[in-house]
Amino acid sequence: MRESTVTIKGQTTLPRDVRAALGLKSGDKLRYVVMNGEVRLLKARPVAELEGVLARPGTRPISLDEMDDAIAAGATDGMRPAK
Protein backbone atom coordinates (compact mmCIF):
# COMPACT_ATOMS: atom_id res chain seq x y z
CA MET A 1 0.00 0.00 0.00
CA ARG A 2 1.31 3.42 -0.94
CA GLU A 3 1.03 6.45 1.33
CA SER A 4 1.69 10.17 1.10
CA THR A 5 1.28 13.02 3.55
CA VAL A 6 -1.28 15.80 3.15
CA THR A 7 0.15 19.28 3.75
CA ILE A 8 -1.59 22.07 5.63
CA LYS A 9 -2.70 23.39 2.20
CA GLY A 10 -4.36 20.04 1.38
CA GLN A 11 -1.67 19.07 -1.12
CA THR A 12 0.12 15.76 -1.49
CA THR A 13 2.68 14.18 -3.78
CA LEU A 14 1.63 11.09 -5.67
CA PRO A 15 4.18 8.31 -5.30
CA ARG A 16 6.26 7.63 -8.43
CA ASP A 17 4.74 4.19 -9.05
CA VAL A 18 1.21 5.62 -8.79
CA ARG A 19 2.08 8.28 -11.37
CA ALA A 20 3.59 5.59 -13.58
CA ALA A 21 0.55 3.32 -13.23
CA LEU A 22 -1.73 6.17 -14.37
CA GLY A 23 0.69 7.37 -17.05
CA LEU A 24 0.79 10.84 -15.48
CA LYS A 25 3.22 13.57 -16.37
CA SER A 26 3.56 17.18 -15.29
CA GLY A 27 0.48 19.22 -16.24
CA ASP A 28 -1.90 16.25 -16.52
CA LYS A 29 -5.26 16.51 -14.79
CA LEU A 30 -6.73 14.02 -12.35
CA ARG A 31 -10.34 13.04 -11.84
CA TYR A 32 -11.54 11.97 -8.40
CA VAL A 33 -14.42 9.51 -8.12
CA VAL A 34 -15.86 9.14 -4.61
CA MET A 35 -17.89 5.96 -4.03
CA ASN A 36 -18.88 4.31 -0.76
CA GLY A 37 -16.21 6.07 1.28
CA GLU A 38 -13.43 5.31 -1.20
CA VAL A 39 -11.75 7.58 -3.73
CA ARG A 40 -10.51 6.45 -7.13
CA LEU A 41 -7.97 8.49 -9.04
CA LEU A 42 -8.29 8.56 -12.81
CA LYS A 43 -6.24 10.38 -15.39
CA ALA A 44 -8.60 12.88 -17.02
CA ARG A 45 -8.83 12.23 -20.73
CA PRO A 46 -9.81 14.65 -23.47
CA VAL A 47 -13.09 13.84 -25.20
CA ALA A 48 -11.29 13.38 -28.53
CA GLU A 49 -9.38 10.46 -27.00
CA LEU A 50 -12.65 8.59 -26.41
CA GLU A 51 -13.38 8.12 -30.12
CA GLY A 52 -14.16 4.47 -30.81
CA VAL A 53 -14.24 3.43 -27.16
CA LEU A 54 -17.72 1.90 -27.62
CA ALA A 55 -16.95 0.24 -30.96
CA ARG A 56 -17.84 -3.43 -31.23
CA PRO A 57 -15.93 -5.62 -33.67
CA GLY A 58 -18.13 -6.84 -36.52
CA THR A 59 -20.71 -4.05 -36.24
CA ARG A 60 -20.96 -0.94 -38.34
CA PRO A 61 -21.31 2.55 -36.88
CA ILE A 62 -24.84 3.97 -37.02
CA SER A 63 -25.69 7.44 -38.24
CA LEU A 64 -27.24 10.23 -36.21
CA ASP A 65 -30.42 9.83 -38.27
CA GLU A 66 -30.59 6.14 -37.32
CA MET A 67 -30.11 7.10 -33.66
CA ASP A 68 -32.90 9.68 -33.90
CA ASP A 69 -35.21 7.11 -35.54
CA ALA A 70 -34.48 4.55 -32.80
CA ILE A 71 -35.14 7.13 -30.07
CA ALA A 72 -38.40 8.20 -31.71
CA ALA A 73 -39.50 4.57 -32.07
CA GLY A 74 -38.69 3.90 -28.42
CA ALA A 75 -40.63 6.97 -27.31
CA THR A 76 -43.62 5.93 -29.43
CA ASP A 77 -43.51 2.34 -28.12
CA GLY A 78 -43.45 3.65 -24.56
CA MET A 79 -46.72 5.55 -25.16
CA ARG A 80 -48.72 2.52 -26.29
CA PRO A 81 -51.08 1.00 -23.70
CA ALA A 82 -49.91 -2.26 -22.11
CA LYS A 83 -51.57 -5.41 -23.45
Side-chain angles (χ1 to χ4, degrees), residues 62-77:
I62 62 171
S63 70
L64 291 177
D65 289 334
E66 290 172 307
M67 285 186 217
D68 288 341
D69 292 344
I71 292 167
T76 303
D77 290 345

Side-chain angles (χ1 to χ4, degrees), residues 1 5 7 14-15 18 23-26 36 42 44 46 51 55 62 69-71 77:
M1 182 182 302
T5 302
T7 69
L14 295 174
V18 172
L24 295 172
K25 59 186 179 299
S26 180
N36 302 321
L42 305 169
E51 181 181 356
I62 62 171
D69 292 344
I71 292 167
D77 290 345

Side-chain angles (χ1 to χ4, degrees), residues 4-16:
S4 61
T5 302
V6 178
T7 69
I8 197 163
K9 291 182 171 185
Q11 298 172 339
T12 189
T13 300
L14 295 174
R16 181 181 296 138

Side-chain angles (χ1 to χ4, degrees), residues 7-48:
T7 69
I8 197 163
K9 291 182 171 185
Q11 298 172 339
T12 189
T13 300
L14 295 174
R16 181 181 296 138
D17 55 341
V18 172
R19 294 190 312 264
L22 293 174
L24 295 172
K25 59 186 179 299
S26 180
D28 285 344
K29 295 188 181 286
L30 286 176
R31 180 157 299 163
Y32 300 86
V33 180
V34 180
M35 298 182 337
N36 302 321
E38 294 183 0
V39 178
R40 293 183 183 190
L41 292 177
L42 305 169
K43 180 179 180 180
R45 297 168 56 184
V47 173

